[in-house]
Each structure stands twice: as structure tokens, then as C-alpha cells.
């Protein structure tokens, strides 16, 4: 009888472990910023369209800003009217997160090769093109991916400088 109870305990424990493992998988983060793009439930985001495949409450707002350095385009991803991420093609060396209540920013400068420096008056980050890095803006955490960065102006020119910058930023809750 004790052998039967031991087997039942092992079977029940194994079943319970499987249930816990499955529930953890189901609760995995919906959004993931990888070294090439932002993904929703393992499906890459197409920033050119206004909807996100598989997300009924998601909308991509497309906006253009005209500035002396050139035209910058923003694709802001909202889920249930909450800011989730932004994809920007910019003509200056500034990462700006156009959020409803604020627009935090960091300057971008090349250190050497693919290594860049992100900075403002309070902080300084080292980041590589094509690699995701966590940063803090005004006590909020974000993952940043710089896909492309080409300087147009020399580093001796005052900030902000003309550049070709493509980045994705994901808010981490």
C-alpha cells in the first residue's frame, strides 16, 4: 500500500510540475525586443501597418516631424491606449521617446566601430549597434535597439547633430 501511495505521489507531483511549467510559458512576456526587431508573441512587428497581428487592442500611430536637419518619422505602438514602443527613423543623433506626458531623450555619439555612447546630463551608456540595451529615462526602464547610426556632422558640431539614426525602444514595466 505504501508503494502505491508513493507512485501516486510521484505521478501527482510530476503532473503538478507540468501544469506549473505550462502556466509559466503562457504568462511569458508578450513583447520582446530582439537584436533585429520588436516581437509580439514571437511575431515580428511590421511598423509600416497600423495594426499588430494577434493583438486586437494594439495600434501603430505613424507620425512625421519636420525639422531643419530633415524629416523624422515615428511609429508609436500603443496597446489599450498605453504607450508600449516606438520605432524612429531620425535625421539627428537623438533618441526621443515621444510619450503622451513627456519626451525623454538621449544623445547618440560613436565611440569606435559599432560601439556608441548614449548620454544626457545625468547618465551615460555604452551600446552596440544591433544589440539590445536596458536604459533608464526619468525613473522608467526601456530596452533600446539601435539598428543604424551614421553621423553626418563632425563631433565638434554643437548638439544635436545631423545623423541617420534608426532605433526601436520598448518600455519595460
Amino acid at each position: 500500500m505504501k508503494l502505491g501511495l508513493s507512485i501516486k505521489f510521484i505521478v501527482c507531483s510530476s503532473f503538478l510540475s507540468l501544469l506549473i511549467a505550462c502556466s509559466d510559458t503562457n504568462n511569458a512576456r508578450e513583447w520582446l525586443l530582439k537584436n533585429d526587431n520588436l516581437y509580439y508573441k514571437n511575431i515580428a512587428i511590421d511598423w509600416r501597418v497600423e495594426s499588430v497581428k494577434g493583438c486586437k487592442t494594439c495600434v501603430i500611430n505613424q507620425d512625421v516631424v519636420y525639422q531643419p536637419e530633415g524629416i523624422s518619422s515615428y511609429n508609436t505602438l500603443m496597446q489599450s491606449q498605453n504607450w508600449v514602443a516606438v520605432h524612429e527613423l531620425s535625421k539627428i543623433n537623438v533618441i526621443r521617446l515621444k510619450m503622451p506626458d513627456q519626451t525623454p531623450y538621449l544623445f547618440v555619439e560613436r565611440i569606435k566601430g559599432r560601439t556608441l555612447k548614449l548620454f544626457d546630463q545625468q547618465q551615460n551608456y555604452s551600446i552596440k549597434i544591433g544589440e539590445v540595451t536596458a536604459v533608464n529615462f526619468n525613473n522608467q526602464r526601456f530596452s533600446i535597439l539601435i539598428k543604424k547610426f551614421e553621423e553626418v556632422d563632425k563631433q565638434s558640431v554643437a548638439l544635436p547633430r545631423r545623423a541617420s539614426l534608426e532605433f526601436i525602444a520598448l518600455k519595460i514595466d
Side-chain angles (χ1 to χ4, degrees), residues 47 50 60-66 71-77 86-89 98:
W47 294 99
E50 294 180 358
I60 297 175
N61 298 316
Q62 299 170 341
D63 193 15
V64 174
V65 174
Y66 300 94
I71 299 170
S72 293
S73 62
Y74 297 89
N75 301 307
T76 305
L77 176 58
V86 67
H87 170 253
E88 180 181 349
L89 299 168
K98 293 183 72 168

Side-chain angles (χ1 to χ4, degrees), residues 3 13 38 132:
L3 182 61
S13 296
L38 178 64
V132 177

